């Protein structure tokens, strides 16, 4: 059943209308305005600083979408998603730096786009490997297996072996002008923002379409009751592993994007706290909602930026606050999760849903 409440007198006639993208002209207008704001308004009127904040929101949302698919839609708990983002980032970087690309592909700007797709596939397969225990275990035990992915991938393989390739030590950096898509060179804040907006939009479209198709219905059935789902004929092993592959693929895309937003790639970018952070994002934004992943990302990134703005003038009187700012951010993260779990456990997406329905049914919103 659709989650959109239609104005009085409007009814869905069939399943296609019930699951349609544009269920009313008002919704279509809102989505067009949103796209104009993202692709035209922010690049035109926001400065480079706020565009970088928007880029961080998009990067966080790209990572959180995979966590949302696993936890929110499939009921598969994970605390190791940063490992799959790291696999995507390192796969893309190593392909660009080490693979003997034909000169024609380099000249035509196809090396980086191909590396993004390969990074997604490799991260997806790596995610399936650590999703195999989900066939036998769930809940707390599945959390431990996904945490193993974090420690094995980032702390052992990437730090001890991959980072040492070529004697580079702990960080890889791509030469300027290396990251380009066709004739488009991604080399400044605006181009990075546009790349983020394009990738995030595509990922939202793909995930939304998956969720309203057969795999999406199977994931939700498994989340609600896996035994009942298997009784109904759903191959729960296949769909659980498919969920891990799709979530890992999205993480790999996010990691490949991160390569163009950082001067040097290091395992420190993908510590276990990032996995915990992504789970916090969907808790605050709303579990089981694509909008929740985006709302949670906006909330967490913007709140941390505002905290930093407050800390800078205060540091004139208390210089130690800058030294302790990382701990202050951790404290704010924990307090935000506690506050939402106590006062709004359904997250920001539920509040957005209530506000939309109030205006959709206005003036008879009772």
């Amino acid at each position: 059943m659709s989650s959109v409440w239609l104005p009085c007198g409007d009814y869905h006639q069939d399943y296609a209308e019930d699951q349609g993208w544009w269920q009313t002209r008002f919704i279509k207008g809102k989505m067009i305005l949103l796209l104009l704001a993202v692709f035209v308004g922010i690049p035109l009127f926001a400065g480079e600083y706020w565009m970088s904040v928007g880029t961080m929101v998009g990067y966080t949302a790209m990572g959180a979408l995979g966590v949302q698919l696993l936890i929110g839609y499939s009921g598969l708990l994970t605390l190791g998603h940063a490992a799959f983002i790291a696999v995507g980032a390192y796969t893309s970087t190593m392909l660009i730096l080490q693979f003997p690309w034909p000169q024609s592909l380099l000249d035509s700007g196809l090396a980086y786009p191909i590396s993004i797709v390969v990074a997604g596939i490799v991260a997806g397969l790596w995610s399936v490997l650590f999703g195999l225990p989900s066939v036998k275990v769930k809940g707390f035990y599945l959390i431990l297996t996904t945490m193993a992915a974090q420690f094995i991938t980032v702390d052992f393989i990437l730090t001890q072996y991959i980072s040492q390739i070529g004697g580079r030590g702990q960080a890889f950096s791509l030469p300027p002008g290396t990251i380009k898509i066709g004739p488009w060179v991604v080399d400044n804040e605006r181009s990075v923002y546009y790349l983020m907006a394009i990738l995030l939009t595509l990922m939202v479209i793909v995930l939304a379409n998956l969720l309203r198709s057969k795999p999406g219905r199977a994931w939700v059935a498994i989340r609600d009751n896996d035994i009942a789902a298997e009784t109904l004929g759903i191959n729960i092993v296949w769909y659980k592993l498919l969920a891990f592959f799709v979530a890992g693929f999205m993480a790999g895309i996010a990691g490949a994007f991160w390569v163009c937003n950082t001067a040097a790639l290091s395992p420190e970018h993908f510590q276990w706290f990032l996995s915990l952070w992504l789970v916090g994002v969907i808790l605050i934004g709303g579990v089981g909602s694509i909008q929740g992943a985006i709302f949670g990302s906006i909330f967490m990134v913007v709140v941390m930026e505002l905290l930093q703005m407050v800390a800078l003038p205060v540091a004139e009187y208390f210089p130690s606050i800058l030294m302790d700012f990382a701990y202050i951010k951790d404290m704010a993260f924990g307090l935000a999760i506690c506050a939402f779990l106590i006062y709004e456990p359904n997250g920001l997406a539920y509040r957005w849903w209530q506000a939309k329905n109030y205006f959709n049914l206005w003036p008879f919103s009772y």
Side-chain angles (χ1 to χ4, degrees), residues 51-65 193 196-197 199-200 203 254 257 293-294 297-298 301:
M51 270 199 293
S52 69
V53 173
T55 301
M56 280 305 300
V57 169
Y59 168 66
T60 307
M62 282 191 274
L65 282 175
Y193 171 84
M196 176 279 300
L199 290 176
L200 180 59
M203 289 170 67
F257 163 75
I294 297 173
S297 302
I298 295 173
V301 173

Side-chain angles (χ1 to χ4, degrees), residues 51 94 124 131 151 170 177 217 230 234 245 302 340 355 360 366:
M51 270 199 293
M94 298 307 293
F151 300 135
Q170 291 290 315
R217 292 189 289 273
E230 190 171 22
I234 296 174
F245 178 79
V302 171
F340 271 88
N360 285 340
Y366 47 83

